[in-house]
Amino acid sequence: MFVESGRGAAGRGAGAGGLNHLSFDPASNSKSLQFGSPSGACVSESPTENGSDPGKKRKRTNIPPDGGRSLSLDSISMGLPMSDPTAWATAMNNLGMAPMGMTGQPLLPDFDPALGMMTGIPPINPMMPGLGIVPPPIPPDMPAVKEIIHCKSCTLFPPNPHLPPPATRERPPGCKTVFVGGLPENGTEQIIMEVFEQCGEVIAIRKSKKNFCHIRFAEEFMVDKALYLSGYRIRLGSSTDKKDTGRLHVDFAQARDDLYEWECKQRMLAREERHRRRLEEERFHPPSPPPVVHYSDHECSIVAEKLKDDTKFSEAVQTLLTWIERGEVNRRTANNFYSMIQSANSHIRRLVNEKAAHEKEMEEAKEKFKLALSGILVQFEQIVAVYHSASKQKAWDHFTKAQRKNISVWCKQAEEIRNIHNDELMGIRREEEMEMSDEEIEDPSEMKETDESALVSQVEALKEENDSLRWQLDAYRNEVELLKQEHGKASRDEDTTKEQQLKLLQQALQGMQQHLLKVQDEYKKREAELEKVKEDKLKIETLLETLKEQQSVASEEDKERDVTDGQGNENSMPRVCACSQEKECPVEKTLSNSPVKSEREALLVGIISTFLHVHPFGASIEYICSYLQRLDSKICTTEVEVLMTRLQTTFKQELSGVGASLEKKWKFCGFDGLKMT
C-alpha cells in the first residue's frame, strides 16, 4: 500500500508539479512502518521477499472497516521526519485518513471527513494521467492523430500529422455536396460509396473520367465528416500500382440543389417568423368594438328598450348616435328616432338622482374622515405631551445620552405630523364654512321658488310646448332641405347632360382638325407629284426637240442622196442612213423606218420608252395609258397598243401568270434591237 502510494505521489509530483516529493523512498526502506491503534495492536506492512524488485507489488494488510480514522500516532515514534508537513498530509490523504500532526492537531483545516480526502487534493487513481496507464488528455491546440482506415476493397492511410491541414474554399450556404479529387484511376463508384458511406447517407455520386467526383449527402453535418478524409492516401486492395493509388482531396462544392433547398428553408423560417410576429402583434392589439347593426324596426324597438335600462344605456346611445350620423333619419323613421331621443333625455333625471346619491355618500365619507382625523389628532397631542413630560428635568436626567437624542427626534417628528394633520383638518372646516355661507346666500331664492312653484310648473309646460314646436319646425326644415336636394340633383343632371354635349362637340372638333391635317398632308404630297410630273414633261419636250432636229437632218440627207444616186440606188439608201443613225443615236433608226408616221407618234414612242425604261419589269397597257392621259386626255388605249405592236424591235409583249391571273406586260427592248440590227 505504501509502495503504491509513494510512487503515485512521486508520479503526480513529477507529472503535475503541484505536490512535493516525500523525504524518503518507501521502496528502498526495509523497515516496516507501524501505526498504533487504540486497542494497542499495530498495523504493519512488511516488504516482499524480493525487496530489491520495485516493480512487483507487495502484500497489503487489510485496514479495519472504520477506515484509517481509527489509527493513531501517539504511542509509536515514526522514522518519517515532520519537516515537510505537505508531503505528510499528501501521504495520509492517499490512505484516506484525516491528516493529523504528531500532537493530534489537523494539518489541513479544509479536510472533509465524509469524503475521506482533502478538498483541494484528490486521491491517487491508477487511471490518472501521467502514471503510464492511460495517455494524458490531448491539448486543444494539438492536432488530432489520424489512424488507418480499413475498408473491404481499399485501405486509407493517414497523412503526415506535421503537415498543415489541407486548404478548403469558403463553405457555401446549405452545403451538402463535396468535391473529391485524387481518386485512383481504377476506382469505381462502389469503392467511393464504400469509403464515404461511413460519413453518412449518400444521396448521389457524380463521377468524372478525370479521377474526381461529386458526392451529395443527406445532411449538412455529414460534409464535415467527409472533410476529415482530406489528405488520406487510398490504396485499392494490396496493389501498389499507380492506377490503384491516390491522395484524396475533399473540399466544399457549390451545387444548385443545395442552394435551392437552403433558400427554401430560409424562406420557410422567414414565413414562420412573420407568422409568429403577426400572432404576437394581434395578441397585443386591443379588441375591436362590435359592429353596429343596421337600422330596422326590430332593432329600433330593441334599442328603445335598452335606453330605458341603466346597465345597457351606453351601448344603446352609441348605436343611436351611429344611426343618426349614417343618415337613417327620414320621414318614415322620424317618430321612432324622436321617441329614442326622448328616452335619452329622460335618462338625464336618473343621472341627476345618481349624482345626488354619490354626493350624499361623499358628504358622509367626509364626516367620517373628519371624525377619524380629529381622533388621530387627539392621540398625537397625547403622544407629544408624553414627549414633553419626558424631556423635563425630573425624568430627563435619568436617561442616557443616546436615549435623550432618540426622544428629542421622536418628539420633533410627532410635532411635524401633528401640525400637518391639524392644517388639513382646518382646511376642511374652512371649506365647510364657505359652503355654508353659499347656502345662506342661496336660501332667499329657494324660498322664492317655493312660493312660486305654480309659476315654475307653468314655465315647464310652456317649455315642453316650445320644444315640440321647435321639433316640428326642424322637421319642416328637413323636408325643405330634402326638396332642395332633389331639385339640386335635377339641376346637376342637366349640367351633366350639357357637359356630355360639350365633350361630344370637342371630340367632333378634334376629329375635324385631324381630318384637316390629313387633307393638308395629301395636298402637299400631290403638289410634290405634280412637280415631278412637270420635270418629266420638260425632259420629254427636250427629247422631242432633239428628235425633231435629228429627223430634219436625216430627211435632208435622204433628199441629197436621191438627187445624186437616182432611182437605181433606192435600195442602198436605207442602209447608209441606218449606219449613220447607228453612229449618232439609236432613235434615228426608228424615225427612218416606216412604222413612225408622224411627229405625234414619235413623241409617244419617246415618252413610252422613257416610262418603260423606268419600269424594267414591264407595265400593262392600262398603266401606260393612264400615265399618258395625264399629259394628253385624248390619247386612247387602242392607238397606243397599235403603235407599240408596229415597233417590235423597240417594244415587246410578255405574258405572266396562269389562268385568271394572266397579265400582259410591255417591256422596252430598244437596246436589244439596236444590237441585233
Side-chain angles (χ1 to χ4, degrees), residues 375-432:
I376 291 169
L377 283 174
V378 170
Q379 293 177 7
F380 269 116
E381 292 289 343
Q382 293 174 355
I383 293 169
V384 171
V386 170
Y387 289 145
H388 285 299
S389 62
S391 61
K392 291 181 180 180
Q393 191 173 4
K394 290 181 181 180
W396 190 256
D397 294 337
H398 300 286
F399 295 118
T400 63
K401 188 175 182 180
Q403 291 173 349
R404 292 174 185 174
K405 185 177 181 181
N406 291 334
I407 291 170
S408 60
V409 170
W410 292 340
C411 182
K412 289 180 181 178
Q413 291 178 354
E415 287 178 352
E416 289 177 358
I417 297 170
R418 181 196 61 182
N419 294 331
I420 291 169
H421 287 283
N422 195 7
D423 293 339
E424 188 175 356
L425 183 61
M426 293 300 293
I428 293 170
R429 288 177 179 175
R430 288 195 199 95
E431 290 178 357
E432 289 179 353

Short mmCIF file of all heavy atoms in Angstrom, two decimals, residues 375-432:
data_model
loop_
_atom_site.label_atom_id
_atom_site.label_comp_id
_atom_site.label_asym_id
_atom_site.label_seq_id
_atom_site.Cartn_x
_atom_site.Cartn_y
_atom_site.Cartn_z
N GLY A 375 -59.87 62.34 15.86
CA GLY A 375 -59.41 61.35 16.84
C GLY A 375 -57.91 61.12 16.75
O GLY A 375 -57.21 60.98 17.77
N ILE A 376 -57.39 61.10 15.53
CA ILE A 376 -55.94 60.92 15.35
C ILE A 376 -55.18 62.10 15.92
O ILE A 376 -54.13 61.94 16.57
CB ILE A 376 -55.63 60.72 13.86
CG1 ILE A 376 -56.17 59.37 13.38
CG2 ILE A 376 -54.14 60.81 13.58
CD1 ILE A 376 -56.16 59.20 11.88
N LEU A 377 -55.72 63.29 15.74
CA LEU A 377 -55.06 64.49 16.27
C LEU A 377 -55.02 64.47 17.79
O LEU A 377 -54.03 64.88 18.42
CB LEU A 377 -55.78 65.74 15.78
CG LEU A 377 -55.49 66.14 14.32
CD1 LEU A 377 -56.38 67.30 13.91
CD2 LEU A 377 -54.02 66.55 14.17
N VAL A 378 -56.12 63.99 18.42
CA VAL A 378 -56.13 63.89 19.89
C VAL A 378 -55.03 62.96 20.38
O VAL A 378 -54.30 63.26 21.34
CB VAL A 378 -57.52 63.42 20.37
CG1 VAL A 378 -57.50 63.07 21.86
CG2 VAL A 378 -58.57 64.50 20.12
N GLN A 379 -54.89 61.83 19.68
CA GLN A 379 -53.84 60.88 20.07
C GLN A 379 -52.44 61.47 19.86
O GLN A 379 -51.53 61.26 20.65
CB GLN A 379 -54.00 59.58 19.28
CG GLN A 379 -55.27 58.83 19.64
CD GLN A 379 -55.45 57.58 18.79
OE1 GLN A 379 -54.55 57.22 18.04
NE2 GLN A 379 -56.60 56.94 18.94
N PHE A 380 -52.27 62.22 18.75
CA PHE A 380 -50.99 62.89 18.53
C PHE A 380 -50.68 63.88 19.66
O PHE A 380 -49.52 63.99 20.12
CB PHE A 380 -51.00 63.63 17.18
CG PHE A 380 -50.50 62.79 16.02
CD1 PHE A 380 -51.34 62.45 14.99
CD2 PHE A 380 -49.18 62.35 15.99
CE1 PHE A 380 -50.90 61.69 13.93
CE2 PHE A 380 -48.74 61.60 14.93
CZ PHE A 380 -49.60 61.24 13.89
N GLU A 381 -51.69 64.60 20.11
CA GLU A 381 -51.49 65.55 21.20
C GLU A 381 -51.04 64.82 22.47
O GLU A 381 -50.15 65.28 23.21
CB GLU A 381 -52.78 66.33 21.47
CG GLU A 381 -53.16 67.28 20.35
CD GLU A 381 -52.23 68.49 20.28
OE1 GLU A 381 -51.49 68.75 21.26
OE2 GLU A 381 -52.20 69.14 19.21
N GLN A 382 -51.64 63.67 22.72
CA GLN A 382 -51.26 62.90 23.91
C GLN A 382 -49.81 62.42 23.81
O GLN A 382 -49.06 62.48 24.79
CB GLN A 382 -52.21 61.70 24.07
CG GLN A 382 -53.63 62.11 24.40
CD GLN A 382 -54.58 60.93 24.40
OE1 GLN A 382 -54.18 59.81 24.07
NE2 GLN A 382 -55.84 61.18 24.76
N ILE A 383 -49.42 61.96 22.60
CA ILE A 383 -48.04 61.46 22.44
C ILE A 383 -47.05 62.60 22.61
O ILE A 383 -46.00 62.45 23.26
CB ILE A 383 -47.89 60.79 21.06
CG1 ILE A 383 -48.73 59.52 21.01
CG2 ILE A 383 -46.44 60.46 20.76
CD1 ILE A 383 -48.86 58.94 19.61
N VAL A 384 -47.38 63.77 22.02
CA VAL A 384 -46.48 64.92 22.15
C VAL A 384 -46.38 65.35 23.62
O VAL A 384 -45.30 65.74 24.11
CB VAL A 384 -46.98 66.08 21.26
CG1 VAL A 384 -46.20 67.35 21.55
CG2 VAL A 384 -46.85 65.70 19.79
N ALA A 385 -47.50 65.24 24.34
CA ALA A 385 -47.46 65.58 25.78
C ALA A 385 -46.55 64.62 26.53
O ALA A 385 -45.81 65.02 27.46
CB ALA A 385 -48.87 65.54 26.36
N VAL A 386 -46.56 63.34 26.15
CA VAL A 386 -45.66 62.36 26.78
C VAL A 386 -44.21 62.74 26.53
O VAL A 386 -43.37 62.70 27.44
CB VAL A 386 -45.96 60.94 26.25
CG1 VAL A 386 -44.88 59.96 26.69
CG2 VAL A 386 -47.31 60.47 26.75
N TYR A 387 -43.90 63.14 25.29
CA TYR A 387 -42.52 63.53 24.98
C TYR A 387 -42.10 64.76 25.79
O TYR A 387 -40.96 64.83 26.30
CB TYR A 387 -42.37 63.81 23.48
CG TYR A 387 -42.43 62.57 22.60
CD1 TYR A 387 -43.02 62.63 21.35
CD2 TYR A 387 -41.90 61.37 23.03
CE1 TYR A 387 -43.08 61.52 20.54
CE2 TYR A 387 -41.96 60.24 22.24
CZ TYR A 387 -42.54 60.31 20.98
OH TYR A 387 -42.60 59.21 20.21
N HIS A 388 -43.01 65.73 25.91
CA HIS A 388 -42.67 66.95 26.65
C HIS A 388 -42.47 66.66 28.14
O HIS A 388 -41.55 67.21 28.78
CB HIS A 388 -43.76 68.00 26.47
CG HIS A 388 -43.73 68.66 25.12
ND1 HIS A 388 -42.65 69.38 24.67
CD2 HIS A 388 -44.66 68.72 24.11
CE1 HIS A 388 -42.90 69.84 23.45
NE2 HIS A 388 -44.13 69.46 23.09
N SER A 389 -43.27 65.79 28.68
CA SER A 389 -43.11 65.44 30.09
C SER A 389 -41.82 64.67 30.33
O SER A 389 -41.17 64.82 31.38
CB SER A 389 -44.31 64.63 30.58
OG SER A 389 -44.38 63.40 29.85
N ALA A 390 -41.45 63.84 29.33
CA ALA A 390 -40.19 63.07 29.47
C ALA A 390 -38.98 63.98 29.35
O ALA A 390 -37.90 63.67 29.87
CB ALA A 390 -40.13 61.96 28.42
N SER A 391 -39.12 65.09 28.67
CA SER A 391 -37.99 66.00 28.49
C SER A 391 -37.81 66.95 29.68
O SER A 391 -36.88 67.77 29.67
CB SER A 391 -38.18 66.81 27.20
OG SER A 391 -39.36 67.59 27.29
N LYS A 392 -38.69 66.85 30.65
CA LYS A 392 -38.50 67.67 31.84
C LYS A 392 -37.35 67.12 32.68
O LYS A 392 -36.97 65.96 32.56
CB LYS A 392 -39.78 67.72 32.65
CG LYS A 392 -40.88 68.50 31.95
CD LYS A 392 -42.15 68.56 32.77
CE LYS A 392 -43.24 69.34 32.05
NZ LYS A 392 -44.49 69.40 32.86
N GLN A 393 -36.83 67.96 33.57
CA GLN A 393 -35.58 67.63 34.26
C GLN A 393 -35.74 66.45 35.21
O GLN A 393 -34.79 65.69 35.44
CB GLN A 393 -35.08 68.85 35.03
CG GLN A 393 -33.66 68.69 35.56
CD GLN A 393 -33.13 69.97 36.15
OE1 GLN A 393 -33.87 70.97 36.24
NE2 GLN A 393 -31.87 69.96 36.56
N LYS A 394 -36.94 66.24 35.75
CA LYS A 394 -37.14 65.15 36.69
C LYS A 394 -36.82 63.80 36.06
O LYS A 394 -36.17 62.95 36.66
CB LYS A 394 -38.58 65.15 37.20
CG LYS A 394 -38.91 66.31 38.11
CD LYS A 394 -40.35 66.21 38.58
CE LYS A 394 -40.69 67.40 39.49
NZ LYS A 394 -42.10 67.33 39.97
N ALA A 395 -37.31 63.61 34.80
CA ALA A 395 -37.07 62.33 34.12
C ALA A 395 -35.88 62.39 33.16
O ALA A 395 -35.26 61.37 32.85
CB ALA A 395 -38.32 61.92 33.35
N TRP A 396 -35.59 63.58 32.66
CA TRP A 396 -34.55 63.73 31.61
C TRP A 396 -33.15 63.37 32.14
O TRP A 396 -32.35 62.81 31.40
CB TRP A 396 -34.57 65.16 31.11
CG TRP A 396 -33.73 65.40 29.88
CD1 TRP A 396 -32.53 66.01 29.82
CD2 TRP A 396 -34.06 65.05 28.57
NE1 TRP A 396 -32.07 66.06 28.54
CE2 TRP A 396 -33.03 65.46 27.71
CE3 TRP A 396 -35.17 64.40 27.99
CZ2 TRP A 396 -33.04 65.27 26.34
CZ3 TRP A 396 -35.18 64.21 26.62
CH2 TRP A 396 -34.11 64.64 25.79
N ASP A 397 -32.88 63.63 33.44
CA ASP A 397 -31.55 63.36 33.98
C ASP A 397 -31.26 61.87 34.10
O ASP A 397 -30.08 61.47 34.13
CB ASP A 397 -31.40 64.02 35.36
CG ASP A 397 -31.44 65.54 35.26
OD1 ASP A 397 -31.14 66.04 34.14
OD2 ASP A 397 -31.77 66.21 36.24
N HIS A 398 -32.29 61.05 34.15
CA HIS A 398 -32.09 59.61 34.33
C HIS A 398 -31.87 58.87 33.00
O HIS A 398 -31.52 57.68 33.02
CB HIS A 398 -33.30 59.00 35.06
CG HIS A 398 -33.52 59.59 36.41
ND1 HIS A 398 -32.70 59.31 37.51
CD2 HIS A 398 -34.44 60.50 36.87
CE1 HIS A 398 -33.12 59.98 38.55
NE2 HIS A 398 -34.18 60.72 38.21
N PHE A 399 -32.08 59.53 31.86
CA PHE A 399 -31.86 58.88 30.55
C PHE A 399 -30.42 59.05 30.11
O PHE A 399 -29.74 60.01 30.50
CB PHE A 399 -32.79 59.48 29.47
CG PHE A 399 -34.25 59.22 29.74
CD1 PHE A 399 -35.13 60.28 29.95
CD2 PHE A 399 -34.74 57.92 29.76
CE1 PHE A 399 -36.47 60.04 30.18
CE2 PHE A 399 -36.08 57.69 30.00
CZ PHE A 399 -36.95 58.75 30.21
N THR A 400 -29.97 58.10 29.30
CA THR A 400 -28.63 58.22 28.72
C THR A 400 -28.64 59.22 27.57
O THR A 400 -29.70 59.71 27.14
CB THR A 400 -28.13 56.85 28.22
OG1 THR A 400 -28.99 56.41 27.17
CG2 THR A 400 -28.10 55.83 29.36
N LYS A 401 -27.43 59.48 27.08
CA LYS A 401 -27.31 60.47 26.00
C LYS A 401 -28.01 59.99 24.73
O LYS A 401 -28.71 60.76 24.05
CB LYS A 401 -25.83 60.74 25.74
CG LYS A 401 -25.58 61.90 24.79
CD LYS A 401 -24.10 62.19 24.69
CE LYS A 401 -23.86 63.38 23.77
NZ LYS A 401 -22.38 63.67 23.66
N ALA A 402 -27.85 58.71 24.38
CA ALA A 402 -28.49 58.16 23.18
C ALA A 402 -30.00 58.16 23.32
O ALA A 402 -30.74 58.47 22.38
CB ALA A 402 -27.97 56.74 22.93
N GLN A 403 -30.48 57.82 24.53
CA GLN A 403 -31.93 57.80 24.75
C GLN A 403 -32.50 59.20 24.64
O GLN A 403 -33.59 59.40 24.09
CB GLN A 403 -32.22 57.21 26.12
CG GLN A 403 -31.90 55.71 26.19
CD GLN A 403 -32.03 55.18 27.60
OE1 GLN A 403 -32.17 55.95 28.59
NE2 GLN A 403 -31.98 53.84 27.74
N ARG A 404 -31.78 60.21 25.19
CA ARG A 404 -32.26 61.58 25.08
C ARG A 404 -32.33 62.01 23.61
O ARG A 404 -33.30 62.67 23.20
CB ARG A 404 -31.31 62.52 25.84
CG ARG A 404 -31.32 62.35 27.34
CD ARG A 404 -30.25 63.22 27.97
NE ARG A 404 -30.15 62.99 29.40
CZ ARG A 404 -29.22 63.53 30.18
NH1 ARG A 404 -28.30 64.33 29.62
NH2 ARG A 404 -29.19 63.29 31.47
N LYS A 405 -31.31 61.63 22.86
CA LYS A 405 -31.31 62.01 21.44
C LYS A 405 -32.51 61.40 20.71
O LYS A 405 -33.20 62.07 19.93
CB LYS A 405 -30.00 61.55 20.79
CG LYS A 405 -29.83 62.00 19.36
CD LYS A 405 -28.47 61.58 18.82
CE LYS A 405 -28.30 62.04 17.38
NZ LYS A 405 -26.98 61.64 16.83
N ASN A 406 -32.79 60.13 20.93
CA ASN A 406 -33.93 59.46 20.29
C ASN A 406 -35.24 60.11 20.70
O ASN A 406 -36.14 60.33 19.87
CB ASN A 406 -33.94 57.98 20.64
CG ASN A 406 -32.78 57.23 19.99
OD1 ASN A 406 -32.28 57.66 18.94
ND2 ASN A 406 -32.36 56.13 20.60
N ILE A 407 -35.37 60.45 21.97
CA ILE A 407 -36.63 61.06 22.44
C ILE A 407 -36.84 62.41 21.79
O ILE A 407 -37.95 62.76 21.37
CB ILE A 407 -36.61 61.17 23.98
CG1 ILE A 407 -36.68 59.77 24.60
CG2 ILE A 407 -37.77 62.03 24.48
CD1 ILE A 407 -36.43 59.76 26.11
N SER A 408 -35.78 63.20 21.65
CA SER A 408 -35.93 64.52 21.02
C SER A 408 -36.29 64.40 19.54
O SER A 408 -37.12 65.15 19.01
CB SER A 408 -34.63 65.32 21.19
OG SER A 408 -33.55 64.63 20.57
N VAL A 409 -35.68 63.42 18.85
CA VAL A 409 -36.01 63.21 17.43
C VAL A 409 -37.45 62.77 17.27
O VAL A 409 -38.18 63.25 16.40
CB VAL A 409 -35.03 62.19 16.81
CG1 VAL A 409 -35.49 61.77 15.42
CG2 VAL A 409 -33.63 62.77 16.75
N TRP A 410 -37.89 61.85 18.14
CA TRP A 410 -39.27 61.37 18.04
C TRP A 410 -40.26 62.49 18.33
O TRP A 410 -41.31 62.57 17.70
CB TRP A 410 -39.48 60.24 19.05
CG TRP A 410 -38.70 58.99 18.69
CD1 TRP A 410 -38.20 58.66 17.49
CD2 TRP A 410 -38.32 57.97 19.60
NE1 TRP A 410 -37.52 57.47 17.54
CE2 TRP A 410 -37.58 57.01 18.86
CE3 TRP A 410 -38.51 57.73 20.98
CZ2 TRP A 410 -37.05 55.86 19.43
CZ3 TRP A 410 -38.01 56.58 21.54
CH2 TRP A 410 -37.26 55.65 20.78
N CYS A 411 -39.90 63.34 19.24
CA CYS A 411 -40.78 64.46 19.57
C CYS A 411 -40.94 65.41 18.39
O CYS A 411 -42.05 65.85 18.07
CB CYS A 411 -40.23 65.20 20.80
SG CYS A 411 -41.26 66.57 21.34
N LYS A 412 -39.83 65.73 17.72
CA LYS A 412 -39.91 66.61 16.55
C LYS A 412 -40.76 65.98 15.45
O LYS A 412 -41.60 66.66 14.84
CB LYS A 412 -38.51 66.89 16.03
CG LYS A 412 -37.69 67.81 16.93
CD LYS A 412 -36.30 68.04 16.35
CE LYS A 412 -35.47 68.95 17.25
NZ LYS A 412 -34.09 69.15 16.72
N GLN A 413 -40.57 64.70 15.16
CA GLN A 413 -41.36 64.02 14.12
C GLN A 413 -42.84 64.03 14.46
O GLN A 413 -43.68 64.30 13.60
CB GLN A 413 -40.87 62.58 13.96
CG GLN A 413 -39.47 62.46 13.34
CD GLN A 413 -39.02 61.01 13.25
OE1 GLN A 413 -39.69 60.10 13.74
NE2 GLN A 413 -37.84 60.82 12.64
N ALA A 414 -43.18 63.75 15.68
CA ALA A 414 -44.59 63.74 16.09
C ALA A 414 -45.20 65.12 15.96
O ALA A 414 -46.36 65.27 15.53
CB ALA A 414 -44.70 63.23 17.53
N GLU A 415 -44.47 66.15 16.33
CA GLU A 415 -44.99 67.51 16.21
C GLU A 415 -45.22 67.88 14.75
O GLU A 415 -46.23 68.51 14.41
CB GLU A 415 -44.02 68.49 16.87
CG GLU A 415 -44.03 68.43 18.39
CD GLU A 415 -43.02 69.40 19.00
OE1 GLU A 415 -42.23 69.98 18.20
OE2 GLU A 415 -43.02 69.58 20.22
N GLU A 416 -44.29 67.51 13.88
CA GLU A 416 -44.47 67.82 12.45
C GLU A 416 -45.70 67.12 11.89
O GLU A 416 -46.53 67.73 11.19
CB GLU A 416 -43.22 67.40 11.67
CG GLU A 416 -42.01 68.28 11.95
CD GLU A 416 -40.76 67.79 11.23
OE1 GLU A 416 -40.86 66.74 10.55
OE2 GLU A 416 -39.70 68.45 11.34
N ILE A 417 -45.87 65.84 12.18
CA ILE A 417 -47.04 65.10 11.69
C ILE A 417 -48.33 65.68 12.27
O ILE A 417 -49.34 65.82 11.58
CB ILE A 417 -46.89 63.61 12.04
CG1 ILE A 417 -45.67 63.02 11.32
CG2 ILE A 417 -48.15 62.84 11.63
CD1 ILE A 417 -45.31 61.63 11.78
N ARG A 418 -48.30 66.07 13.55
CA ARG A 418 -49.49 66.66 14.17
C ARG A 418 -49.85 67.96 13.49
O ARG A 418 -51.04 68.22 13.19
CB ARG A 418 -49.21 66.90 15.65
CG ARG A 418 -50.41 67.48 16.42
CD ARG A 418 -49.97 68.05 17.73
NE ARG A 418 -49.01 69.15 17.53
CZ ARG A 418 -48.41 69.82 18.53
NH1 ARG A 418 -48.64 69.49 19.78
NH2 ARG A 418 -47.57 70.80 18.26
N ASN A 419 -48.87 68.80 13.17
CA ASN A 419 -49.15 70.07 12.52
C ASN A 419 -49.74 69.86 11.11
O ASN A 419 -50.65 70.58 10.70
CB ASN A 419 -47.87 70.90 12.43
CG ASN A 419 -47.37 71.33 13.80
OD1 ASN A 419 -48.16 71.49 14.74
ND2 ASN A 419 -46.06 71.51 13.93
N ILE A 420 -49.23 68.87 10.40
CA ILE A 420 -49.75 68.61 9.05
C ILE A 420 -51.21 68.21 9.11
O ILE A 420 -52.07 68.73 8.38
CB ILE A 420 -48.90 67.53 8.37
CG1 ILE A 420 -47.50 68.07 8.05
CG2 ILE A 420 -49.57 67.04 7.08
CD1 ILE A 420 -46.51 67.01 7.62
N HIS A 421 -51.55 67.29 10.01
CA HIS A 421 -52.94 66.84 10.12
C HIS A 421 -53.83 67.94 10.66
O HIS A 421 -55.01 68.04 10.27
CB HIS A 421 -53.01 65.61 11.04
CG HIS A 421 -52.47 64.36 10.40
ND1 HIS A 421 -53.19 63.64 9.48
CD2 HIS A 421 -51.28 63.71 10.55
CE1 HIS A 421 -52.48 62.59 9.08
NE2 HIS A 421 -51.31 62.62 9.72
N ASN A 422 -53.31 68.75 11.50
CA ASN A 422 -54.09 69.86 12.03
C ASN A 422 -54.42 70.86 10.92
O ASN A 422 -55.56 71.35 10.83
CB ASN A 422 -53.30 70.54 13.15
CG ASN A 422 -54.18 71.46 13.98
OD1 ASN A 422 -55.40 71.50 13.81
ND2 ASN A 422 -53.58 72.20 14.89
N ASP A 423 -53.45 71.16 10.05
CA ASP A 423 -53.72 72.05 8.92
C ASP A 423 -54.76 71.46 7.98
O ASP A 423 -55.63 72.19 7.46
CB ASP A 423 -52.42 72.31 8.15
CG ASP A 423 -51.42 73.12 8.98
OD1 ASP A 423 -51.85 73.80 9.94
OD2 ASP A 423 -50.20 73.05 8.67
N GLU A 424 -54.68 70.16 7.78
CA GLU A 424 -55.66 69.51 6.90
C GLU A 424 -57.06 69.61 7.49
O GLU A 424 -58.03 69.90 6.78
CB GLU A 424 -55.25 68.05 6.70
CG GLU A 424 -56.09 67.32 5.65
CD GLU A 424 -55.56 65.92 5.39
OE1 GLU A 424 -54.51 65.56 5.98
OE2 GLU A 424 -56.21 65.19 4.61
N LEU A 425 -57.17 69.38 8.78
CA LEU A 425 -58.49 69.47 9.43
C LEU A 425 -59.01 70.90 9.38
O LEU A 425 -60.22 71.13 9.13
CB LEU A 425 -58.37 68.99 10.87
CG LEU A 425 -59.66 68.96 11.68
CD1 LEU A 425 -60.67 68.01 11.03
CD2 LEU A 425 -59.40 68.54 13.12
N MET A 426 -58.16 71.88 9.56
CA MET A 426 -58.59 73.26 9.48
C MET A 426 -59.04 73.62 8.07
O MET A 426 -60.01 74.37 7.88
CB MET A 426 -57.44 74.18 9.91
CG MET A 426 -57.08 74.06 11.40
SD MET A 426 -58.44 74.46 12.50
CE MET A 426 -58.59 76.20 12.16
N GLY A 427 -58.33 73.08 7.05
CA GLY A 427 -58.76 73.34 5.67
C GLY A 427 -60.13 72.77 5.39
O GLY A 427 -60.97 73.41 4.72
N ILE A 428 -60.42 71.59 5.91
CA ILE A 428 -61.76 71.00 5.73
C ILE A 428 -62.82 71.87 6.39
O ILE A 428 -63.90 72.10 5.84
CB ILE A 428 -61.77 69.57 6.28
CG1 ILE A 428 -60.86 68.67 5.43
CG2 ILE A 428 -63.18 69.01 6.31
CD1 ILE A 428 -60.62 67.31 6.04
N ARG A 429 -62.52 72.37 7.57
CA ARG A 429 -63.51 73.21 8.27
C ARG A 429 -63.75 74.51 7.53
O ARG A 429 -64.88 75.00 7.47
CB ARG A 429 -63.02 73.48 9.68
CG ARG A 429 -63.10 72.25 10.58
CD ARG A 429 -62.53 72.52 11.96
NE ARG A 429 -62.63 71.34 12.82
CZ ARG A 429 -62.12 71.26 14.05
NH1 ARG A 429 -61.46 72.31 14.54
NH2 ARG A 429 -62.27 70.16 14.75
N ARG A 430 -62.68 75.09 6.95
CA ARG A 430 -62.87 76.33 6.18
C ARG A 430 -63.76 76.07 4.97
O ARG A 430 -64.63 76.90 4.65
CB ARG A 430 -61.51 76.85 5.72
CG ARG A 430 -60.65 77.44 6.83
CD ARG A 430 -59.51 78.25 6.26
NE ARG A 430 -58.43 78.46 7.23
CZ ARG A 430 -57.35 77.70 7.32
NH1 ARG A 430 -57.18 76.69 6.47
NH2 ARG A 430 -56.44 77.96 8.25
N GLU A 431 -63.54 74.95 4.26
CA GLU A 431 -64.39 74.64 3.10
C GLU A 431 -65.84 74.49 3.52
O GLU A 431 -66.76 74.97 2.82
CB GLU A 431 -63.90 73.35 2.44
CG GLU A 431 -62.55 73.50 1.72
CD GLU A 431 -62.08 72.19 1.13
OE1 GLU A 431 -62.78 71.17 1.33
OE2 GLU A 431 -61.02 72.17 0.47
N GLU A 432 -66.08 73.86 4.68
CA GLU A 432 -67.47 73.71 5.15
C GLU A 432 -68.08 75.08 5.47
O GLU A 432 -69.26 75.32 5.15
CB GLU A 432 -67.49 72.82 6.38
CG GLU A 432 -67.20 71.36 6.07
CD GLU A 432 -67.21 70.52 7.33
OE1 GLU A 432 -67.31 71.11 8.43
OE2 GLU A 432 -67.13 69.28 7.21
#
